C-alpha cells in the first residue's frame, strides 16, 4: 500500500496525459448520453428568444476565436437554430479578427439548414477595427453607417434586413458570445444607452465572473462553457456537438477529482510516515 | 520645442479626458455628435494601429532571423503564413475552391483548414497541463487551501451530468419542508451565487477603483508611462 502511495505522489506527468487523453477520446467515440439538467440562467436566454414575436431581430456578437471554439461555437449554432426556427432575423458580427471565419461558418451553415435568405433573414457584418467606437457608431449613426459593406463587401444600406432595423436601439435582443472582456463594451456603449435586452454565453473559466453580471442586470441570462451550450441544445431539442462533448467533460472531471483525492491521500500518508 | 513635445500629449490627455468624462453626464445632441465624431477617429486610429502591429511584427522577426536567435526558423513560418493570408486576402479573397463540404473561398478554406485546427490544438493542450497541475498543486496543506480544494471538487463534480447522476442516487428525506441532503444544483448554486459572487464583487470593485485612479492620474499628468517615459 505504501509503495502505491509513494508511486502516486511521484506520478509521472506522462501517465496523467495518457489518462486524460483516454478520458476525452473514449466518451467521444462511445457516448454515454447522460441526462443534462438545465440551469435557470440558460433557460432565461432561451425564454427570451422563445417569447420574442416571430420576425424579431436578434444581434449575435460572436466575440471568440478558434481557441474557444469547442465551447462557444456550439452555443452560436444552438442560438442560431433557435432564432431561425422562430423566424427571427439575425445580424452577426465579431470584435475578434481571428474569429471572423467562425462567425461566417456558423451563420451560413445554420441558415442553409433553415433555407434562410442572406440580406433578408440574416446578415454577417464580419469584423472591423474600432471596438467600442463601432458600438457607438451603430447606435448613433446606424448599423449601415458603421458597416457600409458587409463581410463579403456588399453594400448594407440597401439590404432588406436593415430597412427597419437601422440602429442598435431597434434590435430586440443581443446575444454576446464572449471569450474575453467584450461584454463590457456591449454593456457600457450599447445596452446602457440604447436599452436593448442582452444575454450571452462565455467560456467555462469566465462563468464564475458572469454570475455577477446577472445579479447587476447587465444580462438577463447566460450559458457558461460547454455545459451551457449543452443545456441550450437540450432546450431546443437538438443534441449536437456540446451534448457529445459533455460526456468527455464528465469523465475527465471525474478523473481529475479522483487524482486530486489520491494525490492528497498520498501526500498525507507520506507526511505521516515522515513524522514518525 | 522639446518642452512642447512633452507638454502637447499631456494637454490632449487632459482636455479629452475631462471633456469626454463630462460628456457621459451631459446627454445632449451636441455632445453625442462630438462623441460619434471622436469614435470615427478611434476607428481610424484602430486601423492604423493594426498596420503598425504588422510592421512591428515584421521587424521583430527579421531581427530574429538576422541574429539567428533560438527557434529563428519559426520566423520564416510566420512570414509564409503572414504573406500567404495577406496575398490571398488582397488579391483573391472571393475566389472559390471546391471542398468536400461544397464551395468555399480560398481565404475561408485557409482559415478553416489551418488557423482553426492549429489554434484549437494549441489551446486543447491546456487540458493536459490543467489536469497535471491540479494533481500536483491541489494539496490540503493549509485551512485556506483545504476550503479551496473542497469548493473546487464540489463544483467540478456538480457541473457535469455524471456528477449529478451519481449524486441523485443518494436517498433524500424531508425535514420541515427542507430536502436533506440538498440537491447538488442547490449546493453549487449557493457556492457560485453567494460565495463566488461576493468574492467577484469585491474584485470587480477593486478593479473599478484602480481604473478610476489610473484614469485620473493620466488626465492630470501624474502617470506618464504611456508617453514612453516615466520621467
Amino acid at each position: 500500500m505504501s509503495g502505491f502511495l509513494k508511486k502516486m505522489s511521484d506520478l509521472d506527468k506522462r501517465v496523467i496525459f495518457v489518462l486524460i487523453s483516454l478520458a476525452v477520446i473514449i466518451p467521444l467515440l462511445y457516448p454515454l448520453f447522460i441526462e443534462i439538467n438545465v440551469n435557470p440562467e440558460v433557460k432565461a436566454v432561451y425564454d427570451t428568444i422563445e417569447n420574442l414575436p416571430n420576425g424579431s431581430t436578434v444581434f449575435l456578437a460572436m466575440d471568440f476565436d478558434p481557441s474557444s471554439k469547442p465551447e462557444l461555437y456550439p452555443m452560436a449554432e444552438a442560438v442560431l437554430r433557435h432564432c431561425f426556427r422562430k423566424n427571427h432575423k439575425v445580424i452577426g458580427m465579431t470584435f475578434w479578427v481571428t474569429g471572423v471565419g467562425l462567425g461566417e461558418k456558423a451563420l451560413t451553415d445554420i441558415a442553409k439548414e433553415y433555407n434562410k435568405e442572406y440580406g433578408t433573414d440574416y446578415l454577417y457584418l464580419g469584423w472591423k477595427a474600432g471596438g467600442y467606437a463601432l458600438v457607438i457608431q451603430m447606435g448613433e449613426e446606424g448599423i449601415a453607417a458603421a458597416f457600409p459593406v458587409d463581410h463579403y463587401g456588399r453594400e448594407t444600406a440597401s439590404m432588406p434586413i436593415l430597412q427597419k432595423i437601422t440602429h442598435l436601439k431597434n434590435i430586440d435582443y443581443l446575444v454576446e458570445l464572449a471569450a474575453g472582456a467584450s461584454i463590457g463594451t456591449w454593456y457600457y456603449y450599447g445596452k446602457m444607452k440604447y436599452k436593448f435586452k442582452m444575454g450571452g454565453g462565455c467560456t467555462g473559466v469566465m462563468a464564475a465572473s458572469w454570475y455577477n453580471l446577472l445579479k447587476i442586470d447587465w444580462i438577463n441570462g447566460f450559458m457558461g462553457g460547454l455545459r451551457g451550450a449543452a443545456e441550450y441544445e437540450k432546450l431546443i431539442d437538438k443534441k449536437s456537438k456540446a451534448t457529445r462533448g459533455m460526456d468527455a467533460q464528465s469523465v475527465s472531471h471525474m478523473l481529475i477529482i479522483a487524482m486530486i483525492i489520491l494525490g492528497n491521500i498520498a501526500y498525507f500518508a507520506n507526511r505521516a510516515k515522515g513524522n514518525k | 520645442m522639446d518642452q512642447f513635445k512633452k507638454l502637447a500629449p499631456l494637454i490632449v490627455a487632459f482636455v479629452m479626458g475631462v471633456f469626454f468624462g463630462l460628456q457621459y453626464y451631459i446627454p445632449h445632441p451636441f455632445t453625442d455628435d462630438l462623441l460619434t465624431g471622436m469614435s470615427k477617429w478611434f476607428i481610424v486610429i484602430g486601423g492604423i494601429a493594426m498596420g503598425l502591429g504588422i510592421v512591428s511584427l515584421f521587424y521583430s522577426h527579421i531581427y530574429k532571423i538576422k541574429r539567428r536567435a533560438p527557434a529563428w526558423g519559426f520566423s520564416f513560418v510566420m512570414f509564409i503564413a503572414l504573406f500567404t493570408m495577406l496575398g490571398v486576402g488582397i488579391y483573391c479573397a472571393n475566389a472559390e475552391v471546391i471542398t468536400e463540404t461544397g464551395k468555399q473561398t480560398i481565404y475561408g478554406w485557409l482559415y478553416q483548414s489551418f488557423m482553426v485546427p492549429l489554434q484549437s490544438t494549441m489551446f486543447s493542450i491546456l487540458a493536459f497541463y490543467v489536469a497535471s497541475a491540479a494533481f500536483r498543486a491541489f494539496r490540503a496543506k493549509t485551512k485556506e487551501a483545504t476550503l479551496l480544494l473542497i469548493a473546487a471538487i464540489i463544483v467540478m463534480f456538480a457541473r457535469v451530468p455524471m456528477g449529478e447522476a451519481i449524486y441523485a442516487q443518494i436517498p433524500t428525506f424531508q425535514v420541515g419542508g427542507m430536502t436533506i441532503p440538498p440537491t447538488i444544483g442547490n449546493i453549487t448554486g449557493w457556492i457560485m451565487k453567494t460565495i463566488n459572487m461576493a468574492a467577484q464583487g469585491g474584485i470587480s470593485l477593486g478593479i473599478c477603483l484602480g481604473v478610476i485612479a489610473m484614469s485620473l492620474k493620466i488626465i492630470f499628468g501624474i502617470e506618464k508611462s504611456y508617453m514612453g517615459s516615466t520621467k
Side-chain angles (χ1 to χ4, degrees):
Chain A
M1 186 65 185
S2 65
F4 171 74
L5 291 174
K6 178 84 182 78
K7 268 184 190 171
M8 273 309 294
S9 59
D10 300 330
L11 193 63
D12 191 327
K13 64 182 172 191
R14 285 171 295 188
V15 176
I16 300 171
F17 293 170
V18 170
L19 289 174
I20 285 289
S21 305
L22 294 174
V24 172
I25 294 167
I26 294 172
L28 285 175
L29 294 175
Y30 305 101
L32 304 163
F33 296 115
I34 306 168
E35 192 62 22
I36 296 164
N37 295 324
V38 177
N39 282 300
E41 51 270 16
V42 179
K43 183 79 167 45
V45 178
Y46 172 85
D47 284 343
T48 308
I49 294 177
E50 183 68 17
N51 295 329
L52 288 174
N54 276 14
S56 299
T57 303
V58 175
F59 197 106
L60 187 61
M62 292 173 274
D63 299 325
F64 60 91
D65 68 359
S67 59
S68 29
K69 184 188 172 197
E71 291 180 288
L72 297 174
Y73 193 79
M75 282 182 204
E77 285 190 326
V79 169
L80 283 167
R81 282 198 175 99
H82 192 196
C83 289
F84 287 143
R85 195 184 284 174
K86 292 284 295 176
N87 285 321
H88 297 327
K89 296 179 191 314
V90 178
I91 300 172
M93 71 160 283
T94 179
F95 278 140
W96 288 46
V97 68
T98 46
V100 77
L102 290 179
E104 184 204 8
K105 187 167 163 51
L107 257 170
T108 47
D109 285 357
I110 309 300
K112 210 181 280 177
E113 267 181 43
Y114 292 87
N115 292 318
K116 295 294 174 184
E117 196 183 326
Y118 188 80
T120 306
D121 301 310
Y122 71 103
L123 166 65
Y124 188 51
L125 299 168
W127 173 87
K128 192 177 166 184
Y132 77 85
L134 277 177
V135 180
I136 294 173
Q137 213 182 357
M138 281 193 282
E140 294 296 320
E141 294 188 297
I143 297 168
F147 286 90
V149 291
D150 66 2
H151 173 65
Y152 308 99
R154 298 171 202 158
E155 195 194 320
T156 52
S158 56
M159 288 185 180
I161 193 170
L162 289 186
Q163 298 314 302
K164 278 187 183 171
I165 309 300
T166 55
H167 292 72
L168 278 185
K169 66 180 177 198
N170 304 127
I171 62 171
D172 298 293
Y173 194 44
L174 187 139
V175 180
E176 154 74 333
L177 303 180
S182 45
I183 183 87
T185 305
W186 284 111
Y187 180 76
Y188 293 125
Y189 303 100
K191 188 190 170 182
M192 263 180 97
K193 203 161 184 187
Y194 310 112
K195 312 290 176 201
F196 48 76
K197 265 189 182 176
M198 192 159 89
C202 63
T203 57
V205 289
M206 287 163 62
S209 62
W210 276 43
Y211 280 97
N212 243 359
L213 307 182
L214 200 62
K215 178 87 174 169
I216 56 175
D217 208 25
W218 275 31
I219 46 176
N220 72 335
F222 78 95
M223 298 164 271
L226 190 69
R227 163 84 192 227
E231 288 176 32
Y232 208 93
E233 284 180 358
K234 185 183 177 181
L235 286 166
I236 61 164
D237 200 21
K238 173 84 183 174
K239 289 180 179 169
S240 188
K241 296 181 183 93
T243 310
R244 283 200 298 273
M246 274 319 287
D247 285 337
Q249 203 172 70
S250 274
V251 178
S252 49
H253 270 213
M254 292 303 152
L255 177 68
I256 293 172
I257 290 170
M259 286 196 308
I260 291 172
I261 292 169
L262 280 173
N264 273 283
I265 292 170
Y267 166 74
F268 282 110
N270 289 332
R271 203 170 71 165
K273 214 174 165 185
N275 286 343
K276 277 179 190 173
Chain B
M1 191 64 189
D2 268 2
Q3 195 62 24
F4 177 74
K5 264 184 167 177
K6 281 180 186 168
L7 208 58
L10 294 177
I11 294 169
V12 172
F14 177 77
V15 173
M16 291 302 191
V18 170
F19 183 81
F20 286 101
L22 289 174
Q23 183 278 334
Y24 187 81
Y25 299 98
I26 309 168
H28 187 273
F30 173 71
T31 55
D32 283 348
D33 285 349
L34 277 175
L35 181 67
T36 311
M38 273 324 285
S39 69
K40 282 181 193 164
W41 274 88
F42 187 83
I43 293 169
V44 173
I45 292 167
I48 294 169
M50 190 96 180
L52 272 177
I54 292 171
V55 171
S56 164
L57 188 74
F58 184 89
Y59 280 113
S60 130
H61 282 274
I62 284 281
Y63 185 64
K64 263 189 178 180
I65 292 170
K66 269 187 182 171
R67 279 195 314 119
R68 296 285 192 273
W72 62 275
F74 291 115
S75 295
F76 275 114
V77 179
M78 196 286 300
F79 280 122
I80 293 167
L82 178 69
F83 288 117
T84 306
M85 293 302 272
L86 209 60
V88 169
I90 292 169
Y91 296 110
C92 48
N94 291 326
E96 287 179 333
V97 285
I98 308 285
T99 64
E100 67 275 14
T101 51
K103 275 185 182 175
Q104 213 174 6
T105 61
I106 298 179
Y107 193 87
W109 179 78
L110 283 171
Y111 178 85
Q112 296 293 348
S113 311
F114 289 91
M115 179 101 174
V116 173
L118 283 170
Q119 218 180 18
S120 300
T121 305
M122 202 174 83
F123 277 84
S124 67
I125 291 168
L126 273 179
F128 298 97
Y129 289 111
V130 167
S132 176
F135 174 69
R136 279 163 216 292
F138 258 145
R139 296 278 189 267
K141 288 179 182 172
T142 60
K143 268 186 283 179
E144 291 82 0
T146 311
L147 278 174
L148 186 68
L149 182 72
I150 293 167
I153 287 180
I154 292 172
V155 174
M156 262 200 288
F157 182 80
R159 286 294 292 172
V160 288
M162 190 182 273
E164 288 174 327
I166 294 168
Y167 191 85
Q169 303 307 313
I170 299 171
T172 58
F173 52 93
Q174 298 285 321
V175 179
M178 275 175 67
T179 308
I180 305 284
T183 64
I184 194 84
N186 284 345
I187 297 171
T188 48
W190 183 76
I191 291 174
M192 299 305 281
K193 290 173 189 169
T194 309
I195 301 177
N196 164 59
M197 226 146 70
Q200 293 282 348
I203 294 167
S204 302
L205 199 65
I207 293 170
C208 288
L209 291 173
V211 169
I212 293 169
M214 181 55 89
S215 303
L216 289 173
K217 280 171 88 176
I218 291 172
I219 288 170
F220 292 108
I222 301 163
E223 171 62 50
K224 298 175 192 166
S225 58
Y226 68 94
M227 289 163 67
S229 163
T230 50
K231 283 177 190 172

